[in-house]
Coordinates of all heavy atoms in Angstrom, one line a residue:
M47 N 43.1 -12.3 28.6 CA 44.3 -11.7 28.9 C 44.9 -12.3 30.2 O 44.2 -12.4 31.2 CB 44.2 -10.2 29.1 CG 45.4 -9.4 29.2 SD 45.3 -7.6 29.4 CE 45.1 -7.2 27.7
S48 N 46.1 -12.8 30.1 CA 46.7 -13.5 31.2 C 47.1 -12.5 32.4 O 47.1 -11.3 32.2 CB 47.9 -14.2 30.8 OG 49.0 -13.3 30.4
D49 N 47.3 -13.0 33.5 CA 47.7 -12.2 34.7 C 49.0 -11.4 34.4 O 49.2 -10.3 34.8 CB 47.9 -13.0 35.9 CG 46.5 -13.6 36.4 OD1 45.5 -13.0 36.0 OD2 46.5 -14.6 37.2
Q50 N 49.9 -12.1 33.7 CA 51.2 -11.5 33.4 C 51.0 -10.2 32.5 O 51.6 -9.2 32.7 CB 52.1 -12.5 32.7 CG 53.5 -11.9 32.5 CD 54.4 -13.0 31.9 OE1 54.0 -14.1 31.5 NE2 55.7 -12.7 31.8
M51 N 50.1 -10.4 31.5 CA 49.8 -9.3 30.6 C 49.1 -8.1 31.4 O 49.5 -6.9 31.1 CB 48.9 -9.7 29.5 CG 49.6 -10.7 28.5 SD 50.6 -9.8 27.3 CE 49.3 -8.9 26.4
V52 N 48.2 -8.4 32.3 CA 47.6 -7.4 33.1 C 48.6 -6.6 33.9 O 48.5 -5.4 34.0 CB 46.4 -8.0 33.9 CG1 45.9 -7.0 34.9 CG2 45.3 -8.6 33.0
I53 N 49.5 -7.3 34.5 CA 50.5 -6.7 35.4 C 51.4 -5.8 34.5 O 51.7 -4.7 34.9 CB 51.3 -7.7 36.2 CG1 50.4 -8.4 37.2 CG2 52.5 -7.1 36.8 CD1 51.0 -9.6 37.9
A54 N 51.8 -6.3 33.3 CA 52.6 -5.5 32.4 C 51.9 -4.3 32.0 O 52.5 -3.2 31.9 CB 53.0 -6.4 31.2
V55 N 50.6 -4.4 31.7 CA 49.9 -3.2 31.2 C 49.7 -2.2 32.3 O 49.9 -1.0 32.1 CB 48.5 -3.6 30.7 CG1 47.5 -2.4 30.6 CG2 48.6 -4.3 29.4
I56 N 49.5 -2.6 33.6 CA 49.3 -1.7 34.7 C 50.7 -1.0 35.0 O 50.7 0.2 35.2 CB 48.8 -2.5 35.9 CG1 47.4 -2.9 35.7 CG2 49.0 -1.7 37.2 CD1 46.9 -3.8 36.8
I57 N 51.8 -1.8 34.9 CA 53.1 -1.1 35.2 C 53.4 -0.1 34.1 O 53.9 1.0 34.3 CB 54.2 -2.2 35.3 CG1 54.0 -3.0 36.6 CG2 55.6 -1.6 35.2 CD1 54.9 -4.2 36.7
K58 N 53.1 -0.5 32.8 CA 53.3 0.4 31.7 C 52.5 1.7 31.8 O 53.0 2.8 31.6 CB 53.0 -0.3 30.4 CG 53.6 0.4 29.2 CD 53.4 -0.5 28.0 CE 54.0 0.1 26.7 NZ 53.8 -0.8 25.6
L59 N 51.2 1.6 32.2 CA 50.4 2.7 32.4 C 50.9 3.6 33.6 O 51.0 4.8 33.4 CB 49.0 2.3 32.7 CG 48.1 2.0 31.5 CD1 46.8 1.4 32.0 CD2 47.9 3.2 30.7
L60 N 51.3 3.0 34.7 CA 51.7 3.8 35.8 C 53.0 4.5 35.6 O 53.2 5.7 35.9 CB 51.9 2.9 37.1 CG 50.5 2.5 37.7 CD1 50.8 1.5 38.9 CD2 49.8 3.7 38.2
T61 N 54.0 3.8 35.0 CA 55.3 4.5 34.7 C 55.2 5.5 33.6 O 55.8 6.5 33.7 CB 56.4 3.4 34.4 OG1 55.9 2.6 33.3 CG2 56.7 2.5 35.6
G62 N 54.3 5.2 32.6 CA 54.1 6.2 31.6 C 53.4 7.5 32.1 O 53.8 8.6 31.8
F63 N 52.5 7.3 33.0 CA 51.8 8.4 33.7 C 52.8 9.2 34.5 O 52.8 10.5 34.4 CB 50.6 7.9 34.5 CG 50.0 9.0 35.3 CD1 49.1 9.9 34.7 CD2 50.2 9.2 36.7 CE1 48.5 10.9 35.4 CE2 49.6 10.2 37.4 CZ 48.7 11.1 36.7
L64 N 53.6 8.5 35.3 CA 54.6 9.3 36.1 C 55.6 10.0 35.2 O 56.0 11.1 35.6 CB 55.3 8.3 37.0 CG 54.5 7.7 38.2 CD1 55.3 6.6 38.9 CD2 54.1 8.8 39.1
A65 N 56.0 9.4 34.1 CA 56.9 10.1 33.2 C 56.3 11.3 32.6 O 56.9 12.4 32.5 CB 57.4 9.1 32.1
A66 N 55.0 11.2 32.2 CA 54.4 12.3 31.5 C 54.1 13.5 32.5 O 54.4 14.6 32.2 CB 53.0 11.9 30.9
V67 N 53.7 13.2 33.7 CA 53.4 14.2 34.7 C 54.7 14.9 35.2 O 54.8 16.1 35.3 CB 52.6 13.6 35.9 CG1 52.5 14.6 37.1 CG2 51.2 13.3 35.5
S68 N 55.7 14.1 35.5 CA 57.0 14.7 35.9 C 57.6 15.5 34.8 O 58.3 16.5 35.1 CB 57.9 13.6 36.4 OG 58.3 12.7 35.4
S69 N 57.5 15.1 33.6 CA 58.1 15.9 32.5 C 57.3 17.2 32.4 O 57.9 18.3 32.1 CB 58.1 15.1 31.2 OG 56.8 14.9 30.8
L70 N 56.0 17.2 32.5 CA 55.2 18.4 32.5 C 55.6 19.4 33.7 O 55.8 20.6 33.5 CB 53.7 18.1 32.5 CG 53.1 17.6 31.3 CD1 51.7 17.1 31.5 CD2 53.2 18.6 30.2
L71 N 55.8 18.8 34.8 CA 56.2 19.6 36.0 C 57.6 20.2 35.8 O 57.9 21.4 36.1 CB 56.2 18.8 37.3 CG 54.8 18.4 37.7 CD1 54.9 17.4 38.9 CD2 54.0 19.6 38.1
L72 N 58.5 19.4 35.2 CA 59.9 19.9 34.9 C 59.9 21.0 33.9 O 60.5 22.0 34.1 CB 60.7 18.7 34.5 CG 62.2 19.1 34.1 CD1 62.9 19.5 35.4 CD2 62.9 17.9 33.5
W73 N 59.1 20.8 32.9 CA 59.0 21.9 31.8 C 58.4 23.2 32.4 O 58.9 24.3 32.1 CB 58.2 21.4 30.6 CG 58.2 22.5 29.6 CD1 59.2 23.0 28.8 CD2 57.0 23.4 29.4 NE1 58.7 24.1 28.1 CE2 57.4 24.3 28.4 CE3 55.7 23.4 29.8 CZ2 56.5 25.2 27.9 CZ3 54.9 24.3 29.4 CH2 55.3 25.3 28.4
S74 N 57.5 23.1 33.3 CA 56.9 24.3 33.8 C 57.9 25.0 34.7 O 57.7 26.2 34.9 CB 55.6 23.9 34.6 OG 55.9 23.2 35.8
K75 N 58.9 24.4 35.2 CA 59.9 25.0 36.0 C 61.0 25.6 35.1 O 61.6 26.6 35.5 CB 60.5 24.1 37.0 CG 59.6 23.5 38.0 CD 59.1 24.5 39.0 CE 58.2 23.9 40.0 NZ 57.4 24.8 40.7
T76 N 61.3 25.0 34.0 CA 62.4 25.4 33.2 C 62.0 26.4 32.1 O 62.8 27.3 31.7 CB 63.2 24.3 32.6 OG1 62.3 23.5 31.8 CG2 63.8 23.4 33.7
R77 N 60.9 26.2 31.5 CA 60.4 26.9 30.3 C 61.4 27.0 29.2 O 61.6 28.0 28.5 CB 60.1 28.4 30.7 CG 59.0 28.5 31.8 CD 57.7 28.3 31.3 NE 56.7 28.4 32.4 CZ 55.5 28.4 32.2 NH1 55.0 28.2 31.0 NH2 54.7 28.5 33.3
D78 N 62.0 25.9 28.9 CA 63.0 25.8 27.9 C 62.4 25.0 26.7 O 61.7 24.1 26.8 CB 64.2 25.0 28.4 CG 65.4 24.9 27.5 OD1 65.4 25.8 26.6 OD2 66.2 24.1 27.6
I79 N 62.8 25.5 25.4 CA 62.2 24.9 24.2 C 62.7 23.4 24.1 O 61.9 22.6 23.6 CB 62.5 25.7 23.0 CG1 61.8 25.2 21.8 CG2 64.0 25.7 22.7 CD1 60.3 25.5 21.8
A80 N 63.9 23.1 24.5 CA 64.4 21.8 24.4 C 63.6 20.8 25.3 O 63.2 19.7 24.8 CB 65.9 21.7 24.8
W81 N 63.2 21.3 26.5 CA 62.4 20.5 27.3 C 61.0 20.4 26.8 O 60.3 19.4 27.1 CB 62.4 21.0 28.8 CG 63.6 20.5 29.5 CD1 64.7 21.2 29.9 CD2 63.9 19.1 29.9 NE1 65.6 20.4 30.5 CE2 65.2 19.1 30.5 CE3 63.2 17.9 29.8 CZ2 65.7 18.0 31.0 CZ3 63.8 16.8 30.2 CH2 65.0 16.8 30.8
L82 N 60.5 21.4 26.2 CA 59.1 21.3 25.6 C 59.0 20.2 24.6 O 58.1 19.5 24.5 CB 58.8 22.7 24.9 CG 57.4 22.7 24.2 CD1 56.3 22.5 25.2 CD2 57.3 24.0 23.4
F83 N 60.1 20.1 23.7 CA 60.1 19.0 22.7 C 60.1 17.6 23.5 O 59.5 16.7 23.1 CB 61.3 19.1 21.8 CG 61.1 20.1 20.7 CD1 62.0 21.2 20.5 CD2 60.0 20.1 19.9 CE1 61.8 22.1 19.5 CE2 59.8 21.0 18.9 CZ 60.7 22.0 18.7
M84 N 61.0 17.5 24.5 CA 61.1 16.3 25.2 C 59.8 15.9 25.9 O 59.3 14.7 25.9 CB 62.2 16.4 26.3 CG 63.6 16.6 25.7 SD 64.1 15.4 24.5 CE 64.8 14.2 25.6
V85 N 59.1 16.9 26.5 CA 57.8 16.7 27.2 C 56.8 16.2 26.1 O 56.0 15.3 26.4 CB 57.3 17.9 27.9 CG1 55.9 17.9 28.3 CG2 58.2 18.2 29.1
T86 N 56.8 16.8 25.0 CA 55.8 16.4 23.9 C 56.1 15.0 23.5 O 55.1 14.3 23.2 CB 55.9 17.4 22.8 OG1 55.8 18.8 23.2 CG2 54.8 17.2 21.7
G87 N 57.3 14.6 23.4 CA 57.7 13.3 23.0 C 57.2 12.3 24.1 O 56.6 11.2 23.7
V88 N 57.4 12.6 25.3 CA 56.9 11.7 26.4 C 55.4 11.6 26.4 O 54.9 10.5 26.6 CB 57.5 12.2 27.8 CG1 56.8 11.4 28.9 CG2 59.0 12.0 27.9
V89 N 54.7 12.7 26.2 CA 53.3 12.6 26.2 C 52.8 11.8 25.0 O 51.8 11.0 25.1 CB 52.7 14.1 26.2 CG1 51.2 14.1 25.9 CG2 53.0 14.8 27.5
F90 N 53.4 11.9 23.9 CA 53.0 11.1 22.7 C 53.3 9.6 23.0 O 52.5 8.8 22.5 CB 53.7 11.6 21.4 CG 52.9 12.5 20.6 CD1 53.0 13.9 20.7 CD2 52.0 12.1 19.7 CE1 52.3 14.8 20.0 CE2 51.2 12.9 18.9 CZ 51.4 14.3 19.1
L91 N 54.4 9.3 23.6 CA 54.6 7.9 24.0 C 53.5 7.4 24.9 O 53.1 6.2 24.8 CB 56.0 7.8 24.7 CG 57.2 7.7 23.8 CD1 58.5 7.6 24.7 CD2 57.1 6.5 22.9
Y92 N 53.1 8.2 25.9 CA 52.0 7.8 26.8 C 50.7 7.6 26.0 O 50.0 6.7 26.3 CB 51.9 8.8 27.9 CG 50.9 8.3 29.0 CD1 51.1 7.2 29.7 CD2 49.8 9.1 29.2 CE1 50.2 6.8 30.7 CE2 48.9 8.7 30.2 CZ 49.1 7.5 30.9 OH 48.2 7.1 31.8
L93 N 50.4 8.5 25.1 CA 49.2 8.4 24.3 C 49.2 7.2 23.5 O 48.2 6.5 23.2 CB 49.0 9.7 23.5 CG 48.6 10.9 24.2 CD1 48.6 12.1 23.3 CD2 47.3 10.8 24.9
G94 N 50.4 6.8 22.9 CA 50.6 5.6 22.2 C 50.3 4.4 23.0 O 49.7 3.4 22.5
T95 N 50.7 4.4 24.3 CA 50.5 3.3 25.2 C 49.0 3.2 25.4 O 48.4 2.1 25.4 CB 51.2 3.5 26.5 OG1 52.6 3.6 26.3 CG2 50.9 2.4 27.5
L96 N 48.3 4.3 25.7 CA 46.9 4.3 25.9 C 46.1 3.8 24.6 O 45.2 3.0 24.8 CB 46.4 5.7 26.2 CG 46.8 6.2 27.6 CD1 46.3 7.6 27.8 CD2 46.2 5.3 28.7
F97 N 46.6 4.2 23.5 CA 46.0 3.7 22.2 C 46.1 2.2 22.1 O 45.2 1.5 21.6 CB 46.5 4.5 21.0 CG 45.9 4.1 19.7 CD1 44.6 4.6 19.5 CD2 46.5 3.4 18.8 CE1 44.0 4.3 18.3 CE2 45.9 3.1 17.6 CZ 44.6 3.5 17.3
E98 N 47.3 1.7 22.4 CA 47.5 0.2 22.3 C 46.6 -0.5 23.2 O 46.1 -1.6 22.9 CB 49.0 -0.1 22.7 CG 50.0 0.2 21.7 CD 51.4 -0.1 22.2 OE1 51.5 -0.9 23.2 OE2 52.4 0.4 21.6
I99 N 46.4 0.0 24.4 CA 45.5 -0.6 25.4 C 44.1 -0.6 24.9 O 43.4 -1.6 25.0 CB 45.7 0.0 26.8 CG1 47.1 -0.3 27.3 CG2 44.6 -0.5 27.7 CD1 47.4 0.4 28.6
L100 N 43.7 0.5 24.4 CA 42.3 0.6 23.8 C 42.1 -0.4 22.6 O 41.0 -0.9 22.5 CB 42.0 2.0 23.4 CG 41.8 3.1 24.5 CD1 41.6 4.5 23.9 CD2 40.7 2.7 25.4
L101 N 43.2 -0.5 21.8 CA 43.1 -1.5 20.7 C 43.0 -2.9 21.3 O 42.2 -3.7 20.8 CB 44.3 -1.4 19.9 CG 44.3 -0.3 18.8 CD1 45.7 -0.3 18.1 CD2 43.2 -0.6 17.8
S102 N 43.8 -3.2 22.3 CA 43.8 -4.6 22.8 C 42.5 -5.0 23.5 O 42.0 -6.1 23.5 CB 44.9 -4.8 23.7 OG 44.8 -4.1 24.9
F103 N 41.8 -4.0 24.1 CA 40.5 -4.3 24.7 C 39.3 -4.2 23.7 O 38.2 -4.5 24.0 CB 40.2 -3.3 25.9 CG 41.1 -3.6 27.1 CD1 41.7 -2.7 27.8 CD2 41.1 -4.9 27.6 CE1 42.5 -2.9 28.9 CE2 41.9 -5.2 28.7 CZ 42.5 -4.2 29.4
G104 N 39.6 -3.7 22.5 CA 38.6 -3.6 21.5 C 37.7 -2.4 21.5 O 36.6 -2.3 21.0
F105 N 38.2 -1.3 22.2 CA 37.4 -0.1 22.3 C 37.5 0.7 21.0 O 36.6 1.5 20.8 CB 37.8 0.7 23.5 CG 37.4 0.2 24.8 CD1 38.3 -0.2 25.8 CD2 36.0 -0.1 25.1 CE1 37.9 -0.8 27.0 CE2 35.7 -0.6 26.3 CZ 36.6 -1.0 27.2
V106 N 38.6 0.6 20.3 CA 38.7 1.3 19.1 C 39.1 0.3 18.0 O 39.6 -0.8 18.2 CB 39.9 2.4 19.1 CG1 39.5 3.5 20.1 CG2 41.2 1.8 19.5
S107 N 38.8 0.7 16.8 CA 39.1 -0.2 15.6 C 40.5 0.0 15.2 O 41.0 1.1 15.2 CB 38.1 0.2 14.4 OG 38.5 -0.5 13.3
P108 N 41.2 -1.1 14.8 CA 42.6 -1.0 14.4 C 42.7 -0.2 13.1 O 43.8 0.3 12.8 CB 43.0 -2.4 14.2 CG 41.8 -3.2 14.2 CD 40.7 -2.5 14.8
N109 N 41.7 -0.1 12.3 CA 41.8 0.7 11.0 C 41.0 1.9 11.1 O 40.1 2.2 10.2 CB 41.3 -0.2 9.9 CG 42.1 -1.5 9.8 OD1 43.3 -1.5 10.0 ND2 41.4 -2.6 9.5
I110 N 41.2 2.8 12.0 CA 40.5 4.0 12.2 C 40.8 5.0 11.0 O 39.8 5.5 10.4 CB 40.8 4.7 13.5 CG1 40.3 3.9 14.7 CG2 40.3 6.1 13.6 CD1 40.8 4.5 16.0
L111 N 42.0 5.2 10.7 CA 42.4 6.1 9.7 C 43.5 5.4 8.8 O 44.6 5.2 9.3 CB 42.9 7.4 10.3 CG 43.3 8.5 9.4 CD1 42.1 9.0 8.6 CD2 43.9 9.7 10.2
L112 N 43.2 5.1 7.6 CA 44.1 4.5 6.7 C 44.5 5.4 5.6 O 43.6 6.2 5.1 CB 43.5 3.2 6.1 CG 43.3 2.0 7.0 CD1 42.6 0.9 6.3 CD2 44.6 1.6 7.6
F113 N 45.8 5.4 5.2 CA 46.2 6.2 4.1 C 46.9 5.1 3.2 O 48.0 4.7 3.4 CB 47.2 7.2 4.5 CG 47.7 8.1 3.3 CD1 46.8 9.0 2.7 CD2 49.0 8.0 2.8 CE1 47.2 9.8 1.7 CE2 49.4 8.8 1.8 CZ 48.5 9.7 1.2
G114 N 46.2 4.6 2.2 CA 46.6 3.5 1.4 C 46.5 2.2 2.3 O 45.5 1.9 2.8
D115 N 47.7 1.6 2.5 CA 47.7 0.4 3.4 C 48.3 0.8 4.8 O 48.5 -0.1 5.6 CB 48.5 -0.7 2.8 CG 47.8 -1.3 1.6 OD1 46.6 -1.2 1.6 OD2 48.5 -1.9 0.8
V116 N 48.6 2.0 5.0 CA 49.3 2.5 6.3 C 48.3 2.9 7.3 O 47.5 3.8 7.0 CB 50.3 3.6 5.9 CG1 51.0 4.1 7.2 CG2 51.4 3.1 5.0
D117 N 48.4 2.4 8.5 CA 47.5 2.9 9.6 C 48.2 4.1 10.1 O 49.2 4.1 10.8 CB 47.4 1.8 10.7 CG 46.5 2.2 11.8 OD1 45.8 3.2 11.7 OD2 46.5 1.5 12.8
V118 N 47.5 5.3 9.9 CA 48.1 6.6 10.2 C 48.3 6.8 11.7 O 49.3 7.3 12.1 CB 47.3 7.7 9.5 CG1 47.8 9.1 9.9 CG2 47.2 7.5 8.0
I119 N 47.3 6.4 12.5 CA 47.4 6.6 13.9 C 48.5 5.8 14.5 O 49.3 6.4 15.3 CB 46.0 6.2 14.6 CG1 44.9 7.0 14.0 CG2 46.1 6.4 16.1 CD1 44.4 8.2 14.6
A120 N 48.6 4.6 14.2 CA 49.7 3.7 14.7 C 51.1 4.3 14.2 O 52.1 4.3 15.0 CB 49.6 2.3 14.3
F121 N 51.2 4.8 13.0 CA 52.4 5.4 12.5 C 52.8 6.6 13.3 O 53.9 6.8 13.6 CB 52.2 5.7 11.0 CG 53.4 6.3 10.4 CD1 54.5 5.5 10.1 CD2 53.5 7.6 10.1 CE1 55.7 6.1 9.5 CE2 54.6 8.2 9.5 CZ 55.7 7.4 9.2
I122 N 51.8 7.5 13.6 CA 52.0 8.7 14.3 C 52.5 8.4 15.7 O 53.5 8.9 16.2 CB 50.8 9.6 14.4 CG1 50.5 10.2 13.0 CG2 50.9 10.6 15.4 CD1 49.2 10.9 12.9
F123 N 51.9 7.4 16.4 CA 52.3 7.1 17.8 C 53.6 6.4 17.8 O 54.3 6.3 18.9 CB 51.2 6.3 18.5 CG 50.1 7.2 18.9 CD1 48.8 6.7 18.7 CD2 50.2 8.4 19.5 CE1 47.7 7.5 19.1 CE2 49.2 9.2 19.9 CZ 47.9 8.7 19.6
S124 N 54.1 5.8 16.7 CA 55.4 5.1 16.7 C 56.5 6.0 16.2 O 57.7 5.7 16.6 CB 55.3 3.8 15.9 OG 55.1 4.1 14.5
V125 N 56.3 7.0 15.5 CA 57.3 7.8 14.9 C 57.4 9.2 15.5 O 58.5 9.7 15.8 CB 57.1 8.0 13.4 CG1 58.1 9.0 12.8 CG2 57.2 6.6 12.7
V126 N 56.3 9.9 15.8 CA 56.3 11.3 16.2 C 57.1 11.5 17.6 O 57.8 12.5 17.7 CB 54.9 11.8 16.3 CG1 54.8 13.1 17.0 CG2 54.3 11.9 14.9
P127 N 57.0 10.6 18.6 CA 57.7 10.8 19.8 C 59.2 11.0 19.6 O 59.9 11.8 20.1 CB 57.4 9.6 20.7 CG 56.1 9.1 20.2 CD 56.1 9.4 18.7
Y128 N 59.8 10.1 18.7 CA 61.2 10.2 18.4 C 61.6 11.4 17.6 O 62.7 11.9 17.7 CB 61.6 8.9 17.8 CG 61.3 7.7 18.7 CD1 60.3 6.8 18.4 CD2 62.1 7.5 19.8 CE1 60.0 5.8 19.3 CE2 61.8 6.5 20.7 CZ 60.8 5.6 20.4 OH 60.5 4.6 21.3
I129 N 60.7 11.9 16.8 CA 60.9 13.2 16.1 C 61.0 14.3 17.1 O 62.0 15.2 17.1 CB 59.8 13.5 15.1 CG1 59.9 12.5 13.9 CG2 59.9 14.9 14.6 CD1 58.8 12.6 13.0
F130 N 60.1 14.3 18.1 CA 60.2 15.4 19.2 C 61.4 15.2 20.0 O 62.1 16.2 20.4 CB 58.9 15.3 20.0 CG 57.8 16.0 19.4 CD1 56.6 15.3 19.1 CD2 57.8 17.3 19.1 CE1 55.5 15.9 18.5 CE2 56.7 18.0 18.5 CZ 55.6 17.2 18.2
F131 N 61.8 14.0 20.4 CA 63.0 13.7 21.1 C 64.3 14.3 20.4 O 65.1 14.9 21.0 CB 63.2 12.3 21.5 CG 62.3 11.7 22.4 CD1 61.9 10.4 22.4 CD2 61.7 12.5 23.4 CE1 61.0 9.9 23.3 CE2 60.8 12.0 24.4 CZ 60.5 10.7 24.3
S132 N 64.4 14.0 19.1 CA 65.5 14.4 18.3 C 65.5 16.0 18.2 O 66.6 16.6 18.3 CB 65.6 13.8 17.0 OG 64.4 14.0 16.2
C133 N 64.3 16.6 18.0 CA 64.3 18.0 18.0 C 64.7 18.7 19.3 O 65.4 19.7 19.3 CB 62.8 18.5 17.6 SG 62.4 18.2 15.9
G134 N 64.3 18.0 20.4 CA 64.7 18.5 21.7 C 66.2 18.4 21.9 O 66.8 19.4 22.4
L135 N 66.8 17.3 21.5 CA 68.2 17.2 21.7 C 69.0 18.1 20.8 O 70.0 18.7 21.2 CB 68.6 15.7 21.5 CG 68.1 14.7 22.5 CD1 68.3 13.3 22.1 CD2 68.7 15.0 23.9
I136 N 68.5 18.3 19.6 CA 69.2 19.2 18.6 C 69.1 20.6 19.1 O 70.1 21.4 19.1 CB 68.6 19.0 17.2 CG1 69.0 17.7 16.6 CG2 69.0 20.2 16.3 CD1 68.3 17.3 15.4
S137 N 67.9 21.0 19.7 CA 67.8 22.4 20.2 C 68.7 22.6 21.4 O 69.2 23.7 21.6 CB 66.3 22.7 20.5 OG 65.8 22.0 21.5
F138 N 68.8 21.6 22.2 CA 69.7 21.7 23.4 C 71.1 21.8 23.0 O 71.9 22.6 23.5 CB 69.5 20.4 24.3 CG 70.4 20.4 25.5 CD1 70.0 21.3 26.6 CD2 71.5 19.7 25.6 CE1 70.8 21.3 27.7 CE2 72.3 19.7 26.7 CZ 71.9 20.5 27.8
L139 N 71.5 21.0 22.0 CA 72.9 21.1 21.4 C 73.2 22.5 20.8 O 74.2 23.1 20.9 CB 73.2 20.0 20.4 CG 73.4 18.6 21.0 CD1 73.5 17.6 19.9 CD2 74.6 18.6 21.9
Y140 N 72.1 23.0 20.1 CA 72.3 24.3 19.4 C 72.4 25.4 20.5 O 73.2 26.3 20.3 CB 71.1 24.6 18.6 CG 71.1 25.9 17.8 CD1 72.0 26.0 16.7 CD2 70.4 27.0 18.2 CE1 72.1 27.3 16.1 CE2 70.4 28.2 17.6 CZ 71.3 28.3 16.5 OH 71.4 29.5 15.9
R141 N 71.7 25.3 21.6 CA 71.8 26.3 22.6 C 73.2 26.2 23.3 O 73.8 27.2 23.6 CB 70.8 26.0 23.7 CG 70.7 27.2 24.7 CD 69.7 26.9 25.8 NE 70.1 25.7 26.5 CZ 69.3 24.9 27.1 NH1 68.0 25.1 27.1 NH2 69.7 23.9 27.8
L142 N 73.8 25.0 23.4 CA 75.1 24.9 24.0 C 76.2 25.3 23.0 O 77.3 25.7 23.4 CB 75.4 23.5 24.5 CG 74.6 23.0 25.7 CD1 75.0 21.6 26.0 CD2 74.9 23.9 26.9
R143 N 75.9 25.2 21.7 CA 76.8 25.4 20.6 C 78.1 24.6 20.8 O 79.2 25.1 20.5 CB 77.1 26.9 20.5 CG 75.9 27.7 20.2 CD 76.3 29.1 19.9 NE 75.1 30.0 19.9 CZ 74.3 30.2 18.9 NH1 74.5 29.6 17.8 NH2 73.3 31.0 19.0
K144 N 78.0 23.4 21.3 CA 79.1 22.5 21.4 C 78.8 21.2 20.6 O 78.5 20.2 21.2 CB 79.4 22.1 22.8 CG 79.9 23.3 23.6 CD 80.2 22.8 25.0 CE 80.6 24.0 25.9 NZ 80.9 23.6 27.2
Y145 N 78.8 21.3 19.3 CA 78.4 20.1 18.5 C 79.4 19.8 17.4 O 80.3 20.6 17.1 CB 77.0 20.3 17.9 CG 76.8 21.6 17.2 CD1 76.5 21.7 15.8 CD2 76.9 22.8 17.9 CE1 76.3 22.9 15.2 CE2 76.7 24.0 17.3 CZ 76.4 24.1 15.9 OH 76.2 25.3 15.3

């Protein structure tokens, strides 16, 4: 792994960690369902980053859980955060009732 890749991984880990922790702190102050969905999406994005790093270092197998030809874990970490983001935004819009 080149120095540039190591720096990119470290920056990605640090910023993802800061985003996950700050979103958890924000949700604990607001207790809003829209923020709960957003926090869950951020946490899933961070877990996806951790999973990518574990894959690149060889700590986990790329084919842990397959459903046909689809890698289920990679699919979950690439799709689920955006589902939570959209649910959070929709619940926020529903609460405002300005859509």
Side-chain angles (χ1 to χ4, degrees):
M47 187 178 279
S48 68
D49 291 340
Q50 185 178 9
M51 291 281 292
V52 170
I53 291 171
V55 166
I56 290 171
I57 290 172
K58 197 172 183 180
L59 278 175
L60 287 176
T61 55
F63 176 76
L64 289 175
V67 168
S68 62
S69 65
L70 286 170
L71 291 173
L72 179 66
W73 177 74
S74 69
K75 300 290 183 195
T76 61
R77 302 282 181 177
D78 186 20
I79 190 70
W81 278 109
L82 176 65
F83 283 125
M84 299 301 275
V85 166
T86 308
V88 169
V89 169
F90 265 95
L91 278 176
Y92 185 63
L93 290 175
T95 301
L96 290 176
F97 185 71
E98 285 178 18
I99 292 169
L100 290 175
L101 276 176
S102 66
F103 286 133
F105 289 119
V106 293
S107 172
N109 300 325
I110 293 174
L111 184 61
L112 291 177
F113 185 72
D115 290 336
V116 177
D117 184 11
V118 175
I119 305 264
F121 180 75
I122 287 173
F123 286 135
S124 65
V125 172
V126 169
Y128 300 105
I129 292 172
F130 282 119
F131 290 149
S132 59
C133 288
L135 292 171
I136 289 169
S137 66
F138 182 74
L139 287 174
Y140 181 74
R141 188 183 63 208
L142 290 179
R143 299 191 195 270
K144 293 180 182 179
Y145 49 117

